[in-house]
Amino acid sequence: MLKIAVCDDEARDREKITASLEAYIKDRPKLQGRVQAFESGHELLKAVNAGDRFDLYILDVIMPEPGGIQTGLKLRSLGEGGEIIYLTSSKEYAADSYNVRAFYYLLKPVKEERLFAVLDAATQKLKRRRSSAILVSTPGGQQRVLLERILYVERVGRSMRYVCVDDTVDSQSIRVSFREMVAPLLADSRFCLCGASFVFNLEHVAGVNGQNALLDNGVTVPLPRTAATGFKLAWGQYWLGEEEE
């Protein structure tokens, strides 16, 4: 299910883009999805804070505060990894969209053909991310673990513990270093080494508070003392494109 959020304070533009998105979904029978419209950044952020999550965010840039850029930054600080596509009538804010790690920046009025091409590229990216996985050798045999489901990986004794969204997978005893074992994860920009025995999926890190990583499921994970500062910086650069104080 592809969940798309549209946020535009202008009713006419909001209705037009919503209709185009619904036409896009209808035009692709294999793609199941739904579109939810919001008239302000506050309304969208309220829904996300309440637990609603979206795969794609279609945001107008020029809106009453919080504008589209501020809304995007807030989504990133909340740990939202959905792709963001900006729509605007001005090129002035294009550079700012990079700080939000936006997928694309489209100028209004947007032709449906152009919008559909961008949406195809975004959905393909989401599909690749959703299907990326590793094989973990467990005492019960090989187990396929989707990368997007991993919250963090920890070395526990001589084993690797993969803490996931819905379960925990413990590997067999490892015979090489932790860093060698997590190399396939670190090849993916979502994952960050923290100290000598932790790797976090930054997509699931909602914040860093002192010596603790705050995950998007409400769990708090203590960080290695000597690695906390570097991890906070890496998290800030990943989500916001800037250094954290």
Side-chain angles (χ1 to χ4, degrees):
M1 170 68 74
L2 181 70
K3 296 176 64 179
I4 306 175
V6 175
C7 186
D8 196 316
D9 63 312
E10 294 289 340
R12 184 176 179 179
D13 288 348
R14 187 171 63 249
E15 291 167 4
K16 183 178 180 180
I17 189 63
T18 298
S20 293
L21 290 167
E22 290 174 344
Y24 172 79
I25 293 171
K26 185 177 180 180
D27 192 52
R28 285 148 178 77
K30 294 183 179 180
L31 183 65
Q32 294 185 331
R34 71 176 180 86
V35 182
Q36 188 170 345
F38 300 88
E39 61 182 24
S40 71
H42 280 302
E43 190 180 76
L44 171 58
L45 291 170
K46 182 179 178 180
V48 172
N49 274 311
D52 215 347
R53 294 292 186 268
F54 298 90
D55 303 296
L56 288 175
Y57 293 89
I58 314 297
L59 307 180
D60 184 30
V61 172
I62 304 174
M63 297 188 292
E65 291 189 7
I69 299 298
Q70 290 75 20
T71 299
L73 288 171
K74 183 61 176 176
L75 288 170
R76 293 309 190 210
S77 71
L78 291 172
E80 274 302 281
E83 298 299 336
I84 294 176
I85 297 173
Y86 279 117
L87 304 178
T88 185
S89 55
S90 172
K91 295 181 180 179
E92 180 182 354
Y93 302 93
D96 294 330
S97 70
Y98 290 106
N99 290 334
V100 187
R101 295 195 301 108
F103 181 77
Y104 217 86
Y105 187 97
L106 291 170
L107 290 176
K108 296 179 179 179
V110 182
K111 292 184 178 180
E112 234 178 40
E113 181 181 355
R114 181 58 176 155
L115 175 64
F116 283 15
V118 172
L119 291 171
D120 279 341
T123 54
Q124 283 300 312
K125 182 179 179 181
L126 287 167
K127 183 178 180 180
R128 288 194 299 271
R129 289 174 61 184
R130 287 174 173 174
S131 61
S132 297
I134 57 171
L135 285 176
V136 178
S137 296
T138 75
Q142 296 270 26
Q143 186 168 336
R144 184 171 181 267
V145 179
L146 291 173
L147 299 192
E148 73 164 9
R149 308 294 290 174
I150 298 173
L151 298 172
Y152 64 92
V153 182
E154 177 184 10
R155 179 165 184 162
V156 179
R158 295 183 179 179
S159 298
M160 305 277 289
R161 175 162 293 168
Y162 297 79
V163 180
C164 303
V165 171
D166 44 12
D167 63 353
T168 298
V169 178
D170 289 326
S171 76
Q172 292 181 328
S173 295
I174 61 176
R175 299 179 180 178
V176 296
S177 70
F178 178 80
R179 185 182 284 270
E180 287 180 78
M181 288 297 297
V182 298
L185 295 179
L186 297 178
D188 188 303
S189 64
R190 288 172 287 182
F191 290 88
C192 176
L193 183 68
C194 182
S197 59
F198 276 99
V199 166
F200 284 88
N201 184 345
L202 296 175
E203 293 279 353
H204 289 293
V205 179
V208 182
N209 184 7
Q211 296 293 130
N212 298 303
L214 312 176
L215 304 185
D216 57 7
N217 64 351
V219 172
T220 297
V221 182
L223 299 171
R225 184 172 298 278
T226 57
T229 300
F231 179 74
K232 184 177 182 181
L233 177 61
W235 174 81
Q237 290 174 333
Y238 180 80
W239 280 118
L240 306 177
E242 60 186 23
E243 293 188 5
E244 294 287 304
E245 296 295 334

